Amino acid sequence: MPDTTIKTEILIHDLKVPISVIDAGAKSLLNRQDSYGPLTDKQTKVLKRIIRNTLTTQRLVNDVMELGRSREGVMITSDFPISVLVTSVLMEIFDLSDPSVAEDIRKIKTYDELEQAVQASGARLFFDPKVWKTMVYLDEAKVRQILRNLVTNAFKHRSSVVKISGSIEENQLTLKVKDDGRGIPPAEHQKIFETYFTTGSSIESAIKSHGLGLAGVMVLLKDMGGTLTLNSDDRKGAEFIVKIQL
């Protein structure tokens, strides 16, 4: 019987080329108007929307490929500072939601500058200066995907603020992501980690906030020997706590 998992992952891998072609074509029309002709405001908006959705699709493809590698036990470990991890995650998120903030993040050089750049958008950072500069030896792509999923979910469900913090104790990295949204009733705590489960009651909510992200986080953490804990109650926000042994 054919291995459908392998076939699916080959198909996903093959999506990279056409996605890149679409992205390059839209950017050429947008950025080379001297060659391709001027654009109206409506055309510009449509092209920017295409580029944003292409970026989303590229990341989904990369995330699925990373999950496949994780299931095969593939770990690509390297040294990287906590500062680079958090900064790159915020940049990826704001690339889609607010490109002007993403551009500000690209220019920052200090922790204080990063705090100021994201504050107006509702993000709050809580990192000790020593932890912020600490080098860790992990699979950066997997840890980045984990943190990006949690922060993205927090922004979707927040009322106004998302808090991101990190610490290192007893050779263990702890990352916390907390929102001030409607919270998750205890009866649903286990369900939200199941693939495609969402706490939304409508199809629109499911599309905007499907449970695949958290299911993916659990797969990656399990393969890395890490854990994910949820602290939440109805109307009291939600806090996800990731622990990974260094």
Side-chain angles (χ1 to χ4, degrees):
M1 189 173 180
D3 190 332
T4 55
T5 302
I6 293 175
K7 285 187 175 182
T8 301
E9 290 184 357
I10 291 173
L11 173 62
I12 291 168
H13 182 271
D14 287 347
L15 285 172
K16 284 189 169 187
V17 173
I19 292 170
S20 297
V21 171
I22 294 169
D23 182 56
K27 286 178 178 176
S28 293
L29 290 172
L30 188 65
N31 299 325
R32 297 177 58 191
Q33 296 183 42
D34 54 334
S35 300
Y36 294 104
L39 298 169
T40 65
D41 289 342
K42 287 184 178 180
Q43 289 170 333
T44 299
K45 287 180 181 178
V46 170
L47 285 171
K48 287 182 177 180
R49 189 159 65 244
I50 290 171
I51 292 168
R52 284 197 304 272
N53 282 278
T54 301
L55 181 57
T56 300
T57 308
Q58 285 174 329
R59 288 178 182 167
L60 285 170
V61 167
N62 289 334
D63 285 355
V64 173
M65 293 297 295
E66 196 61 54
L67 284 171
R69 283 192 287 267
S70 189
R71 291 191 189 98
E72 294 297 320
V74 177
M75 291 285 171
I76 305 174
T77 51
S78 62
D79 289 306
F80 60 91
I82 298 297
S83 59
V84 169
L85 168 69
V86 178
T87 302
S88 62
V89 164
L90 289 171
M91 204 154 36
E92 287 180 0
I93 290 171
F94 285 111
D95 266 336
L96 294 173
S97 62
D98 193 336
S100 62
V101 175
E103 284 305 311
D104 289 340
I105 294 174
R106 283 185 173 87
K107 299 173 186 175
I108 64 97
K109 295 180 180 179
T110 67
Y111 176 78
D112 291 339
E113 289 175 348
L114 181 60
E115 275 191 313
Q116 292 174 4
V118 300
Q119 189 170 17
S121 300
R124 300 288 185 274
L125 303 178
F126 299 90
F127 287 85
D128 181 273
K130 289 183 180 179
V131 174
W132 186 248
K133 296 177 181 178
T134 298
M135 298 286 290
V136 294
Y137 185 72
L138 291 166
D139 190 320
E140 184 180 2
K142 290 180 174 59
V143 180
R144 190 169 66 246
Q145 183 177 336
I146 289 166
L147 185 59
R148 174 161 45 82
N149 270 290
L150 294 179
V151 175
T152 300
N153 277 341
F155 269 104
K156 288 176 182 176
H157 295 291
R158 66 172 178 160
S159 175
S160 58
V161 175
V162 172
K163 297 179 180 179
I164 307 166
S165 61
S167 61
I168 296 176
E169 294 179 3
E170 298 180 356
N171 207 37
Q172 182 174 253
L173 171 64
T174 300
L175 296 169
K176 297 181 180 181
V177 179
K178 184 176 183 179
D179 67 69
D180 61 347
R182 63 177 181 172
I184 305 167
E188 293 185 351
H189 282 201
Q190 190 58 41
K191 290 182 182 178
I192 65 165
F193 296 109
E194 297 172 6
T195 305
Y196 298 122
F197 179 82
T198 172
T199 54
S201 57
S202 66
I203 292 175
E204 289 79 12
S205 296
I207 292 171
K208 292 179 181 177
S209 177
H210 57 72
L212 184 59
L214 287 176
V217 166
M218 291 296 288
V219 169
L220 293 173
L221 276 172
K222 182 180 178 181
D223 293 336
M224 295 175 71
T227 61
L228 178 63
T229 308
L230 168 62
N231 290 331
S232 183
D233 206 342
D234 199 17
R235 307 296 171 187
K236 292 185 179 180
E239 180 183 46
F240 290 90
I241 303 168
V242 170
K243 291 183 181 292
I244 308 172
Q245 199 69 25
L246 298 175

